[in-house]
Amino acid sequence: PDLPITTNMMGTYPHLDYRRWAREVDVVSWDCYPRPDAQASDIAFLHDLNRSLKDGQPFMLMEQTPSSQNWQAVNALKRPGVLRLWSYAALAHGADTIMYFQWRRGRGGCEKFHGAVVEHGRRSDTRVFREVAELGAELARLGDSTIGARTPARVALLFDWENMWSIDAAVGPLEDKAYLATVRKHYAALWQHSVPVDIVFRDSDLSGYDLVVAPMLHMVTDDMAERIAAPLRAGGRFVATYFSGVVGDTNLAHEGYPGPMRELLGIRVEEIDALYPGQANSIVLADASYSCGRLCEIIHSEGATVLGTYGSDFYADSPALTEHHYGAGRSYYIASDPEPRFLADFYGRLLAELGIAAALEPPAGVELAVRETATHTLLCLLNHTAAPATVALPPGQRYDELLSGQPVAGELTLPAY
């Protein structure tokens, strides 16, 4: 019983509820193998998910390939510098451990062409071996300056395996309801504003967050609705979207959507329209218009203020975006799937109202993540582009650049990757 236990989890692997499994391990470990088309925000989301499985406890990056994978349709090499970049991305979002699969390429079996630190040629003068060795030396120089650091998030994004299973089991109104893609889309909009985000689950304590975002929260019970309502009454913000509050935990439909969240959202859903690929509607605000599609719910206000309406079809001018005062807080309902620009603008306004701001504003293509220890704050800056980038540091602030050991102020130039 005194031996620590872990196992290698795999991101949002659909067949197992990792939140439940996390209770049974001492530390979360996971295998980071990004999709070929993965964006930097997608990788950050998965790291934040694994950090959040045990409520913010740092995790282990148990597996990453030093060069290429072998089990995707096309297995391109990681370009020079990307292994280092993605390793620090894991550290920036909560990893206390950077490891690899595999040390040496196996000579047989289904993974003999999977990347490794030592290739079949058994040489130590290869590009990949040098990159691994140089990264190892850098991490050794960091010592314990990052170990145990926590992420100070005031924003929470809800992802839940049982909710995903419930959505996937529903026959209609669309075949591919894209729950995971929708969660990633909302995360990307928050990531774009460089604010720390925790991933939360149906059993999470939400009381410590100023903003809770729950895309497509299809399965909602009375006790879950109360956990959402409590920080709202205290002055927080809550964002829900279409296809929420439809069923309870036995997958039976509530008699009216959004079920137990109807009072805290101040709306009711009458119908759900599914759009074909290539079809679109729009969300029209007082000062802007945005495209939307996939699902368009026809909703009615029951006390909520209408902020945006549909631009076309027979439900033109009916509510598409609402705001509802609940206790000292406010809730929002997005009745369709909007373009990313809408989410960037919408969350930008919400974060500004709440006084949630990034520690600094990085240029396009540069990611900022924050971790804190008992003695210091770590600003992690990651240049995801193939060109150098210059970051303006907050005026009057002086930092220690941990990799070089040198003080820095004013500006910091990051090389490619």
Side-chain angles (χ1 to χ4, degrees):
D2 58 337
L3 290 176
I5 300 292
T6 191
T7 189
N8 48 327
M9 298 178 181
M10 296 179 288
T12 55
Y13 184 68
H15 306 298
L16 298 166
D17 186 338
Y18 283 160
R19 171 66 169 180
R20 291 173 63 185
W21 200 345
R23 302 172 195 158
E24 311 304 328
V25 297
D26 296 285
V27 61
V28 167
S29 301
W30 91 282
D31 302 348
C32 183
Y33 295 106
R35 307 182 324 277
D37 61 343
Q39 303 298 307
S41 62
D42 295 335
I43 302 172
F45 164 70
L46 292 172
H47 288 316
D48 283 348
L49 172 68
N50 282 274
R51 185 193 72 241
S52 300
L53 287 173
K54 291 185 77 69
D55 300 315
Q57 176 182 303
F59 63 90
M60 298 173 71
L61 177 60
M62 178 170 276
E63 288 190 21
Q64 61 172 336
T65 177
S67 55
S68 65
Q69 302 169 43
N70 77 316
W71 41 266
Q72 297 192 6
V74 176
N75 296 281
L77 292 173
K78 284 182 177 175
R79 268 38 193 173
V82 172
L83 168 66
R84 179 174 181 260
L85 171 69
W86 285 2
S87 296
Y88 279 116
L91 184 152
H93 287 273
D96 273 358
T97 303
I98 305 295
M99 297 196 289
Y100 306 92
F101 182 83
Q102 48 191 325
W103 159 244
R104 179 177 168 182
R105 277 194 178 184
R107 294 178 61 198
C110 66
E111 290 182 309
K112 66 175 174 283
F113 296 118
H114 191 289
V117 179
V118 180
E119 302 289 343
H120 290 147
R122 303 173 63 186
R123 299 184 66 90
S124 61
D125 59 355
T126 62
R127 173 184 70 88
V128 169
F129 192 97
R130 287 196 306 271
E131 288 195 24
V132 171
E134 289 164 3
L135 175 61
E138 280 190 350
L139 293 173
R141 289 200 303 273
L142 286 180
D144 62 358
S145 60
T146 67
I147 300 299
R150 294 276 182 146
T151 299
R154 295 169 59 190
V155 178
L157 179 75
L158 200 151
F159 169 81
D160 187 78
W161 273 269
E162 289 195 32
N163 188 65
M164 179 165 63
W165 298 337
S166 177
I167 289 173
D168 289 347
V171 182
L174 283 174
E175 183 176 12
D176 180 11
K177 287 168 278 294
Y179 170 61
L180 180 55
T182 302
V183 171
R184 287 202 308 263
K185 186 175 175 180
H186 283 256
Y187 178 90
L190 295 163
W191 177 89
Q192 183 178 333
H193 291 288
S194 300
V195 296
V197 177
D198 281 346
I199 310 303
V200 292
F201 311 91
R202 65 176 42 250
D203 65 336
S204 295
D205 178 6
L206 305 178
S207 61
Y209 300 102
D210 297 312
L211 172 61
V212 177
V213 179
M216 297 181 72
L217 188 55
H218 186 69
M219 179 184 283
V220 180
T221 57
D222 289 343
D223 65 316
M224 190 175 187
E226 175 53 33
R227 276 200 303 280
I228 293 168
L232 251 182
R233 284 192 289 265
R237 303 287 188 273
F238 174 64
V239 178
T241 76
Y242 58 94
F243 219 48
S244 292
V246 178
V247 301
D249 60 1
T250 60
N251 226 24
L252 293 178
H254 292 301
E255 294 180 308
Y257 319 148
M261 298 195 299
R262 186 167 168 177
E263 181 182 348
L264 64 89
L265 289 168
I267 59 108
R268 65 178 174 88
V269 178
E270 181 178 348
E271 294 184 277
I272 306 174
D273 190 19
L275 276 60
Y276 288 93
Q279 282 187 310
N281 206 312
S282 60
I283 299 176
V284 181
L285 309 184
D287 58 351
S289 179
Y290 304 88
S291 66
C292 64
R294 291 179 50 79
L295 293 176
C296 294
E297 290 187 341
I298 302 169
I299 67 173
H300 300 275
S301 169
E302 293 186 334
T305 301
V306 177
L307 300 181
T309 57
Y310 287 112
S312 61
D313 219 314
F314 74 92
Y315 42 89
D317 299 323
S318 68
L321 173 67
T322 61
E323 175 188 63
H324 185 53
H325 289 262
Y326 185 83
R330 278 178 274 167
S331 62
Y332 298 85
Y333 195 78
I334 305 170
S336 184
D337 181 20
E339 62 173 300
R341 185 172 61 95
F342 169 91
L343 295 178
D345 292 347
F346 174 73
Y347 287 123
R349 288 191 293 268
L350 272 186
L351 293 169
E353 288 175 11
L354 290 165
I356 301 174
L360 54 85
E361 290 190 22
V366 175
E367 177 182 4
L368 167 68
V370 180
R371 295 181 71 182
E372 292 181 346
T373 72
T375 59
H376 55 261
T377 297
L378 298 160
L379 302 184
C380 306
L381 289 159
L382 306 156
N383 179 9
H384 291 280
T385 74
T390 299
V391 178
L393 300 174
Q397 296 291 325
R398 186 178 177 88
Y399 298 91
D400 293 317
E401 205 282 295
L402 293 180
L403 296 181
S404 68
Q406 299 298 312
V408 62
E411 287 186 343
L412 181 68
T413 297
L414 302 171
Y417 301 125

